[in-house]
Amino acid sequence: MKQIKHSSDRARSTPQAISPGPRGRSSAVDLRGEKTRARLVEAGLRLFGRHGPDGVTTRELASEAGVNLAAIPYHFRSKEGVYVAVAQSIVERLGGELVRVAERVNASLSQSQRRPRSELIGLLLELMTSMLRTICLSQERTLVGMFVIREQMQPSDAFNVLYDGFMRPVGAAYANAIAALRGLPADDTRVGIEVQMLVGQVLMFCIGRETLLRRLRWKQLDENHIREIERVMEQVVGQQFAGAR
Amino acid sequence: MKQIKHSSDRARSTPQAISPGPRGRSSAVDLRGEKTRARLVEAGLRLFGRHGPDGVTTRELASEAGVNLAAIPYHFRSKEGVYVAVAQSIVERLGGELVRVAERVNASLSQSQRRPRSELIGLLLELMTSMLRTICLSQERTLVGMFVIREQMQPSDAFNVLYDGFMRPVGAAYANAIAALRGLPADDTRVGIEVQMLVGQVLMFCIGRETLLRRLRWKQLDENHIREIERVMEQVVGQQFAGAR
DNA sequence: GTCTATAGTCGGATAGAC
DNA sequence: GTCTATCCGACTATAGAC
């Protein structure tokens, strides 16, 4: 965002959609373009995730993607266009996992019958562990987490894409589960605060990975560590929602 | 980190200390330089906190500080020098608050007498609320939080400054309190994981501020909201460490 | 110590051949 | 759709007068 662009003032800042490319064409020719766009988005996740929008140059991006520099403005209008497209692709990927879990939880809860606390807690834990595994762990996934967290701290155009795409639906699932456990309406302030805290418990393993590794003298997060984290989460959340109220 | 410097290859990347300036001099002349350095560090926190090291140009930094562009390389050798100096200044400020609380907690716990759980929980809550107020709230403090979180995600030279300066001591205080509550050694893996989770619960109010405001339809975080958050934290932590084990 | 002016380099985006 | 060559603004750091 530093280098101020010198032409065609940012009047229409709406970035074009990721899929259809600049113009709708026949399929034979489109294949190359499709591949180029996909490569740019993939490379964009790797680079933007690690270094943020300002930390990546168009040349690096093109080189990492193995495409020509001019392909960036051609397919995405600008570097920021690629950035937003990465956000959309994140929503699509996570829609296949996180949002699916969230919807299942919501569906379970909407059947208006009383459920035992243990089952409600189970749903909550499902949300948390799927979140842990989806956006916090495995080197590649960490990039997604970093992308999302960066957008939380300094929202850009991409924030709305992420928020509507999965923060809102996933947050709603948390809220529904907690509301049921606390006997409060889902839009109660206290419920919202607890959502924030629970999500923070999970995300901290992505944000504070470096600190965690240093503190516990781990080389890296492997599957055994993850299982241990899940075990602790299970106990802690169990206690948190054990008693009354 | 984008614009590659063209002279005097980055051989000695040790940034010079913040305080003494380029050369030790008499006091009469030093005053102006001192002020310039202070202004640069202050402006650095505002800008680096919000936009990260790559999102700030030397021109913006100099302009925000109200000093001349050339003062940056003169006093801090480079833009990154200012960045590290900001980290040192953060440690000093937080040392006056957060680390002080951490030390008090550690002192309380080191007296090897058994303490009632309620008192241990009180110490833990003191850590959490001081952290909440110190690095998460009040517009200016948010900058500190963002600076720290960014360093967690993409550590630079400044990370070690922050880690040794307060992450390690504060984390140790958390660990000691939790260890006492769980009846485990402070370096137990489970304790480390719980530290991570508790810290995440607090930090999420800094990281996810935008999401929280949207979710609860708050305009901004005011003192009443903070007190409500503290109340919920108190209850949740109370439940989490209520029972046996 | 502070300033102006400038050097030297890299940045995003484009033009136009293929 | 992709490529090379190129424009030109903006960057960091420096030189040297004050």
Side-chain angles (χ1 to χ4, degrees):
Chain A
M1 213 56 69
K2 215 66 277 163
Q3 305 274 101
I4 289 169
K5 299 77 179 178
H6 40 283
S7 66
S8 76
D9 199 11
R10 317 274 96 201
R12 60 294 180 310
S13 75
T14 332
Q16 61 199 191
I18 162 176
S19 339
R23 27 198 150 279
R25 272 292 173 68
S26 66
S27 54
V29 191
D30 248 343
L31 282 178
R32 283 196 304 170
E34 204 62 57
K35 180 144 192 176
T36 300
R37 282 190 286 277
R39 291 166 72 91
L40 276 170
V41 169
E42 206 179 334
L45 175 58
R46 279 196 296 276
L47 295 180
F48 289 135
R50 231 183 283 279
H51 305 114
D54 296 339
V56 178
T57 68
T58 50
R59 287 168 170 78
E60 285 172 332
L61 183 57
S63 159
E64 173 85 10
V67 306
N68 190 272
L69 175 65
I72 293 172
Y74 180 77
H75 287 288
F76 295 96
R77 204 176 54 87
S78 71
K79 186 173 75 163
E80 276 71 30
V82 181
Y83 186 77
V84 173
V86 169
Q88 288 170 336
S89 119
I90 285 177
V91 166
E92 284 159 24
R93 295 188 197 202
L94 266 54
E97 304 182 41
L98 243 187
V99 175
R100 204 189 306 285
V101 175
E103 280 167 359
R104 191 154 43 75
V105 169
N106 280 333
S108 272
L109 290 169
S110 66
Q111 301 164 19
S112 60
Q113 66 190 83
R114 288 200 74 73
R115 306 181 157 279
R117 296 184 78 76
S118 63
E119 189 178 332
L120 295 173
I121 292 175
L123 289 174
L124 208 47
L125 280 167
E126 237 180 289
L127 278 170
M128 293 176 75
T129 56
S130 77
M131 196 174 216
L132 183 70
R133 288 181 179 271
T134 305
I135 64 180
C136 293
L137 307 169
S138 100
Q139 193 55 10
E140 192 202 342
R141 296 288 171 77
T142 303
L143 298 173
V144 174
M146 287 174 63
F147 190 102
V148 172
I149 289 160
R150 203 189 320 274
E151 274 300 315
Q152 294 245 15
M153 291 198 301
Q154 29 187 306
S156 74
D157 288 349
F159 183 76
N160 287 321
V161 175
L162 295 174
Y163 185 78
D164 293 334
F166 76 87
M167 284 178 208
R168 202 168 37 74
V170 170
Y174 272 93
N176 286 333
I178 293 172
L181 279 159
R182 297 286 185 212
L184 292 169
D187 61 349
D188 188 274
T189 300
R190 152 139 203 193
V191 170
I193 293 174
E194 281 203 67
V195 170
Q196 194 83 352
M197 290 172 69
L198 279 183
V199 171
Q201 287 186 337
V202 179
L203 283 190
M204 197 62 198
F205 291 99
C206 177
I207 305 156
R209 162 192 283 251
E210 190 72 25
T211 313
L212 180 77
L213 296 180
R214 284 203 194 193
R215 193 181 294 139
L216 291 179
R217 292 191 199 75
W218 287 348
K219 300 285 179 221
Q220 55 168 21
L221 280 181
D222 62 30
E223 179 59 26
N224 286 332
H225 297 142
I226 297 169
R227 271 201 279 269
E228 193 145 8
I229 291 171
E230 285 176 344
R231 219 165 23 237
V232 176
M233 256 182 205
E234 203 169 323
Q235 293 180 18
V236 166
V237 172
Q239 290 167 338
Q240 181 171 337
F241 293 99
R245 226 221 130 112
Chain B
M1 214 54 70
K2 218 63 281 163
Q3 306 272 104
I4 290 168
K5 300 80 182 178
H6 42 281
S7 67
S8 76
D9 199 12
R10 315 275 98 200
R12 56 313 184 291
S13 75
T14 331
Q16 58 197 193
I18 164 176
S19 338
R23 23 197 154 281
R25 270 293 171 70
S26 65
S27 54
V29 192
D30 247 343
L31 281 178
R32 283 196 305 168
E34 203 64 57
K35 181 145 193 176
T36 299
R37 282 190 286 278
R39 291 166 71 91
L40 277 170
V41 169
E42 206 179 333
L45 174 58
R46 280 197 296 275
L47 296 178
F48 289 135
R50 232 184 282 280
H51 307 113
D54 297 338
V56 178
T57 67
T58 48
R59 287 172 217 294
E60 285 171 329
L61 184 56
S63 160
E64 173 85 12
V67 305
N68 190 270
L69 177 64
I72 293 171
Y74 180 76
H75 288 288
F76 296 97
R77 204 176 54 86
S78 72
K79 186 173 72 165
E80 275 70 29
V82 181
Y83 186 78
V84 173
V86 169
Q88 289 170 335
S89 118
I90 285 178
V91 166
E92 283 159 25
R93 295 188 196 202
L94 267 54
E97 305 182 39
L98 243 186
V99 174
R100 204 190 306 284
V101 174
E103 280 167 0
R104 191 153 44 75
V105 169
N106 281 333
S108 273
L109 290 169
S110 66
Q111 302 164 18
S112 59
Q113 66 191 84
R114 288 197 75 71
R115 305 178 160 279
R117 295 184 79 74
S118 62
E119 188 178 335
L120 294 173
I121 291 175
L123 289 174
L124 208 46
L125 278 168
E126 234 180 296
L127 279 169
M128 292 174 77
T129 57
S130 76
M131 196 175 216
L132 183 70
R133 288 182 179 271
T134 305
I135 64 182
C136 293
L137 307 169
S138 97
Q139 195 54 14
E140 193 204 340
R141 296 288 169 77
T142 302
L143 299 172
V144 174
M146 287 175 65
F147 189 102
V148 172
I149 289 160
R150 204 190 320 274
E151 274 299 316
Q152 295 245 13
M153 292 199 301
Q154 30 185 306
S156 74
D157 288 348
F159 183 76
N160 288 322
V161 175
L162 295 174
Y163 184 78
D164 293 334
F166 76 86
M167 286 179 208
R168 202 167 39 71
V170 170
Y174 273 93
N176 286 332
I178 293 172
L181 279 159
R182 297 288 186 209
L184 292 169
D187 61 349
D188 188 274
T189 299
R190 152 138 202 193
V191 171
I193 293 173
E194 280 204 70
V195 170
Q196 193 83 354
M197 290 172 69
L198 280 183
V199 171
Q201 287 186 339
V202 180
L203 284 190
M204 197 60 197
F205 290 98
C206 177
I207 304 156
R209 162 192 284 250
E210 190 72 25
T211 313
L212 180 76
L213 296 180
R214 284 202 193 196
R215 194 180 295 138
L216 292 179
R217 291 188 200 77
W218 287 349
K219 301 285 179 218
Q220 56 168 18
L221 280 182
D222 61 30
E223 180 60 25
N224 286 332
H225 296 142
I226 297 169
R227 270 201 281 269
E228 192 144 9
I229 291 171
E230 284 176 345
R231 220 166 21 238
V232 176
M233 255 180 204
E234 202 171 322
Q235 293 179 18
V236 165
V237 172
Q239 291 166 337
Q240 181 171 336
F241 293 99
R245 219 201 197 273

